Amino acid sequence: MSNEIQAIQGVEREFEFTDDDFRFIVKLVKDKVGIKLGDHKRDMIYGRIARRLRALKLKTFKEYCEFLSSGEAGNEVVDFVNAVTTNLTKFFREEHHFEHLREVSIPAAIGANTETKKIRIWSAGCSTGMEPYSIAMVLLTIIKQKNLSNWDIKILATDIDTNVLAKAQSGNYTDHDIENVPVRYREAFIDVDHKAGTAKMSQELKNLISFKQLNLMESLPFKGPFDIIFCRNVVIYFDKPTQKILFNKYADVMRKDSYLYIGHSESLHNISDRFELIGKTTYKKTK
Ligand SMILES: C[S@@+](CC[C@H](N)C(=O)[O-])C[C@H]1O[C@@H](n2cnc3c(N)ncnc32)[C@H](O)[C@@H]1O
């Protein structure tokens, strides 16, 4: 049995991991990333951070926690954040959002911006890029259909985790990853090699997206106005005060009547009154 499996099953642990160590990590994750870790996440945290201890050749979690708080941890803080984030994602996840994007929110953005000819879409918490590339496929199809190639149209895609951003930027996936992509988009925008098992996003799609590292806990480095924001399956582990601050910041950088999509288990009920629920996990910014 591997050490990691032993740890998860609580049989025997490779590294000493005390209540104080767990409390230190919970506080650091809450302060740095906004994520609230419950006691049930203890084994998961052990498994993920144990990899960092091995990489650094440390013997106990106490040593690791001391290193993180020493002020000399440097890049290890980045590796720590990367280790604790959950990056599960999928192309065209929650398909109804992409239907709404195609039928309602992109046409509305075009209508609202005929003078500036500028459209901004933000995928906040974009993980390995499957969400912004899905948006880009819908958007590029409309740009071509409506001859909008002279417009200034961009998708901003951000995440706190530098590993997932590197993967997103490469635009390289497996043919298994793109199973959920509708055939018409696959044929138009993805170079699939079934023999090699690879699926590469086209340069046209890549050109539409700017990937940037951004911690949503910090003040936003751009003013917008955004026409559409996707922030899905990101705030699920944030506590309510943190969610209130974040959705208020989003509303500040969104055009009036612009659209916000959130994750299937998330809600703005008692979080923000600046958005109106207009469909399943779909909101319009009202004030
Ligand atoms: C579960 S993924 C969701 C990906 C995508 N939005 C989707 O729904 O498929 C959540 C992403 O949020 C990112 N994240 C978590 N906390 C964050 C923070 N404070 N700032 C920026 N990104 C964060 C994680 O790194 C992770 O990639």
Side-chain angles (χ1 to χ4, degrees):
M1 204 188 308
S2 77
N3 288 324
E4 204 163 320
I5 293 170
Q6 283 182 359
I8 285 162
Q9 293 182 347
V11 181
E12 187 187 303
R13 286 197 150 142
E14 181 184 359
F15 302 105
E16 190 188 350
F17 184 37
T18 65
D19 288 350
D20 280 350
D21 300 333
F22 183 58
R23 271 195 292 271
F24 174 89
I25 289 170
V26 168
K27 182 167 185 320
L28 193 60
V29 172
K30 173 73 184 63
D31 292 347
K32 283 234 172 292
V33 193
I35 295 175
K36 203 172 157 230
L37 296 169
D39 281 343
H40 63 291
K41 291 286 161 87
R42 194 175 169 133
D43 286 338
M44 180 202 87
I45 286 298
Y46 177 89
R48 292 184 181 188
I49 303 295
R51 286 182 217 143
R52 298 306 315 146
L53 267 72
R54 278 180 218 117
L56 295 164
K57 303 200 181 341
L58 298 177
K59 299 233 156 27
T60 63
F61 272 68
K62 187 162 186 271
E63 282 178 57
Y64 184 69
C65 296
E66 282 170 359
F67 179 49
L68 282 179
S69 46
S70 67
E72 284 160 26
N75 254 355
E76 184 53 32
V77 178
V78 176
D79 288 325
F80 170 74
V81 168
N82 291 352
V84 297
T85 54
T86 294
N87 309 116
L88 184 77
T89 186
K90 227 166 73 159
F91 282 99
F92 289 88
R93 184 182 198 181
E94 293 162 53
E95 220 282 325
H96 64 279
H97 286 157
F98 295 93
E99 204 179 303
H100 188 271
L101 181 71
R102 187 184 66 233
E103 298 298 326
V104 181
S105 58
I106 294 176
I110 296 170
N113 295 306
T114 46
E115 275 179 26
T116 58
K117 292 188 165 37
K118 184 172 164 179
I119 294 178
R120 289 291 179 269
I121 301 178
W122 181 12
S123 164
C126 66
S127 189
T128 54
M130 297 183 186
E131 180 176 276
Y133 283 115
S134 304
I135 299 169
M137 290 182 218
V138 176
L139 184 60
L140 195 50
T141 304
I142 297 178
I143 291 175
K144 286 172 188 263
Q145 281 165 351
K146 296 194 181 292
N147 288 323
L148 303 178
S149 52
N150 61 333
W151 281 46
D152 172 13
I153 302 181
K154 277 250 161 282
I155 300 166
L156 172 69
T158 63
D159 204 285
I160 193 172
D161 183 333
T162 52
N163 289 336
V164 292
L165 280 173
K167 161 101 183 157
Q169 224 140 10
S170 77
N172 295 335
Y173 300 91
T174 66
D175 56 353
H176 177 71
D177 289 334
I178 60 148
E179 273 170 3
N180 221 24
V181 177
V183 176
R184 64 185 186 285
Y185 294 135
R186 241 188 270 176
E187 288 176 354
F189 304 121
I190 307 178
D191 179 7
V192 187
D193 181 340
H194 286 294
K195 243 181 164 179
T198 57
K200 296 184 178 170
M201 297 298 119
S202 74
Q203 194 56 46
E204 263 185 319
L205 287 181
K206 289 183 173 182
N207 291 346
L208 267 183
I209 311 173
S210 301
F211 289 102
K212 293 205 165 36
Q213 194 205 8
L214 178 72
N215 183 350
L216 295 168
M217 294 302 99
E218 292 166 6
S219 58
L220 302 182
F222 22 71
K223 291 198 179 76
F226 288 96
D227 298 290
I228 297 162
I229 294 183
F230 282 70
C231 182
R232 309 185 309 160
N233 310 299
V234 176
V235 302
I236 183 167
Y237 307 111
F238 293 7
D239 62 17
K240 280 202 169 182
T242 309
Q243 292 189 25
K244 281 183 182 171
I245 293 169
L246 181 61
F247 285 105
N248 201 37
K249 286 195 289 192
Y250 286 157
D252 285 345
V253 295
M254 291 175 79
R255 173 174 61 69
K256 187 168 179 302
D257 293 334
S258 58
Y259 290 93
L260 169 73
Y261 302 107
I262 64 173
H264 60 281
S265 57
E266 297 159 349
S267 159
L268 294 192
H269 183 65
N270 288 336
I271 298 287
S272 174
D273 62 0
R274 298 180 69 186
F275 297 90
E276 180 194 350
L277 182 66
I278 52 134
K280 195 171 153 195
T281 51
T282 304
Y283 290 82
K284 192 178 223 183
K285 185 203 141 163
T286 51
K287 48 184 166 173

